[in-house]
Amino acid sequence: MFPFRVINQPTTEQLLDMASVIEVVEQAYQMKSSQQATLFPLIFHEFAAGKADMDIKSGHLPGADIFGLKLVSWFGENEQKGLPQLIGTVMVLDSRTGVPLGLLSGEHITCMRTGAAGGIGAKYLARPDRAAGCSKR
């Protein structure tokens, strides 16, 4: 077995701040746009309609020699079982050898990335006259 890091949710919560996540997500979007990153087709499966599903998002960063995937599942009835509805796992691997480099808890990462995407969207898509109007309130 190859040594690799395992990073749990409390650690990701300590390490990630929204400003840094926005910066990194914006860089990722720019890398994808300039073909420095590849996204693989999304895999989605619904276990029970409107109650339980999962998706796998994956990609490759050739410049960093890594590829990885994020598996996120949503089980709507988990709350009644004392479990989180959203469960995520991120795996990062070396693209030269296939050796796993890390396994991370993905719930917090997913939530932070979603928030960052909204912030980036607002930055580029908001009408300029709307932003000015907000600062006058």
Side-chain angles (χ1 to χ4, degrees):
M1 186 62 174
F2 304 100
F4 61 92
R5 295 190 67 175
V6 176
I7 302 176
N8 62 16
Q9 183 159 325
T11 303
T12 62
E13 289 174 0
Q14 287 177 343
L15 294 174
L16 299 179
D17 64 273
M18 187 52 78
S20 298
V21 172
I22 288 172
E23 183 180 323
V24 170
V25 170
E26 188 169 4
Q27 288 173 1
Y29 288 166
Q30 290 168 348
M31 291 174 76
K32 170 67 172 103
S33 176
S34 64
Q35 299 180 341
Q36 296 175 47
T38 303
L39 296 180
F40 305 139
L42 170 75
I43 297 172
F44 174 81
H45 179 75
E46 193 168 44
F47 297 104
K51 293 184 178 184
D53 62 47
M54 70 95 197
D55 63 55
I56 300 171
K57 297 175 180 170
S58 56
H60 179 214
L61 289 175
D65 293 319
I66 59 172
F67 70 101
L69 62 91
K70 178 178 76 168
L71 186 149
V72 175
S73 61
W74 174 78
F75 285 77
E77 297 176 355
N78 270 3
E79 195 169 359
Q80 293 93 332
K81 300 172 186 175
L83 297 169
Q85 291 181 337
L86 182 74
I87 299 174
T89 304
V90 176
M91 186 185 314
V92 180
L93 303 102
D94 186 310
S95 64
R96 297 164 300 182
T97 63
V99 170
L101 302 173
L103 185 66
L104 299 87
S105 176
E107 296 89 357
H108 187 66
I109 293 169
T110 297
C111 293
M112 293 289 281
R113 193 228 51 99
T114 300
I120 294 164
K123 175 180 175 180
Y124 288 99
L125 301 174
R127 291 177 23 193
D129 61 328
R130 294 295 98 190
C134 291
S135 63
K136 294 178 183 177
R137 293 182 187 182

